Amino acid sequence: MSGEIILETRDLTKEFAGFVAVNGVNLKVERGTIHALIGPNGAGKTTCFNLLTKFLTPTRGQIFYKGRDITAMQPADVARLGVVRSFQISAVFPHLTVLENVRVALQRKRGGSFDFWRSRSILNEFNDRALSLIDDVGLSGFAGVPAVELPYGRKRALEIATTLALDPDMLLLDEPTAGMGHEDIDRISALIKKVSADRTTLMVEHNLSVVSDLSHTITVLTRGRILAEGDYATVSSNPDVREAYMGTGHA
């Protein structure tokens, strides 16, 4: 952890027809950390995530990445800067194999789509890198399996592999363990810790055991505002957090 701020928001606000979903959020994410965004249902977490990845336009406020104002940038341009989001709903090509899915993502990073006209050496380069990523996320035995046939937790691992193929400096994970059983949660948690070793990760996550195990910093949202921030011990002992969040049993 360097102490350097890689992502920052200033007075980030989003209103929908008079309803304020995100209200004056000032968020600072340090480079090299895993930073969790938590809060009760309706707290504004997903809206905040959508603002950061430019799928929503803020009503007011600014977003900075590596000191650069990205508030007015388009999602694809932000992704090219190195901020890449993995979606809550698994976003892979169901009828392509694991290897083909990762290779498509690698080709996208290169700037092409299906580069059928490229030389065999370049295609082999995609294959080698794709197989390495597949191994990194624990799917080495599934390279030839169509994505649609993967168990749910393995599909999420594939999604992380396709995200990593874009070589992000900052990884945004939207509820990475949602809908998983204990075994899959443990596997994906270990994967997040592994892939975050050399990058920054910001995640929305419901599972408090995952949050406590992985996060260096936790920001608690409620009613669109930041209620508390700090490590798990700090936020879990905060009486306002316990009242607004911990006692609800939800994130």
Side-chain angles (χ1 to χ4, degrees), residues 28 37 42 55 60 68 78 82 91 95 104 109 113 127 135 142 156 177 182 199 205 209 222 234 238 243:
K28 292 184 178 181
L37 197 59
F55 288 90
R60 60 180 175 275
R68 178 177 179 177
V78 172
H95 299 294
V104 166
K109 170 68 175 176
S113 54
N127 281 337
D135 184 57
F142 297 84
R156 298 310 300 271
T177 69
H182 290 300
R199 56 178 54 85
E205 178 54 56
S209 65
T222 183
T234 299
N238 184 308
E243 179 181 351

Side-chain angles (χ1 to χ4, degrees), residues 176-228:
T177 69
M180 291 184 184
H182 290 300
E183 183 179 332
D184 280 339
I185 287 173
D186 290 345
R187 183 184 296 116
I188 293 297
S189 294
L191 174 57
I192 293 169
K193 185 175 288 188
K194 177 182 179 181
V195 303
S196 300
D198 56 354
R199 56 178 54 85
T200 307
T201 299
L202 177 65
M203 65 177 183
V204 169
E205 178 54 56
H206 275 72
N207 189 307
L208 287 182
S209 65
V210 171
V211 169
S212 64
D213 180 53
L214 294 180
S215 305
H216 300 100
T217 305
I218 300 164
T219 299
V220 184
L221 289 181
T222 183
R223 297 177 182 174
R225 293 182 178 274
I226 293 178
L227 178 64

Side-chain angles (χ1 to χ4, degrees), residues 48-103:
C48 192
F49 234 53
N50 285 335
L51 290 168
L52 294 176
T53 50
K54 311 320 309 301
F55 288 90
L56 286 175
T57 301
T59 305
R60 60 180 175 275
Q62 294 172 289
I63 305 167
F64 295 87
Y65 177 66
K66 295 182 179 179
R68 178 177 179 177
D69 189 339
I70 63 168
T71 312
M73 293 183 70
Q74 297 298 309
D77 296 325
V78 172
R80 276 190 281 272
L81 288 179
V83 183
V84 180
R85 174 179 181 173
S86 179
F87 283 87
Q88 180 179 353
I89 306 299
S90 186
V92 296
F93 295 102
H95 299 294
L96 295 184
T97 66
V98 167
L99 176 60
E100 289 166 340
N101 265 286
V102 177
R103 206 170 93 167

Side-chain angles (χ1 to χ4, degrees), residues 123-180:
L123 293 179
N124 286 340
E125 178 184 316
F126 283 134
N127 281 337
D128 291 344
R129 176 62 180 144
L131 289 169
S132 176
L133 283 167
I134 287 165
D135 184 57
D136 285 347
V137 300
L139 291 176
S140 55
F142 297 84
V145 177
V148 71
E149 296 178 12
L150 292 174
Y152 180 70
R154 301 287 188 179
K155 195 176 293 183
R156 298 310 300 271
L158 172 58
E159 184 186 343
I160 291 174
T162 61
T163 304
L164 294 177
L166 300 177
D167 198 23
D169 288 331
M170 185 167 186
L171 186 60
L172 280 74
L173 300 176
D174 194 358
E175 300 190 19
T177 69
M180 291 184 184

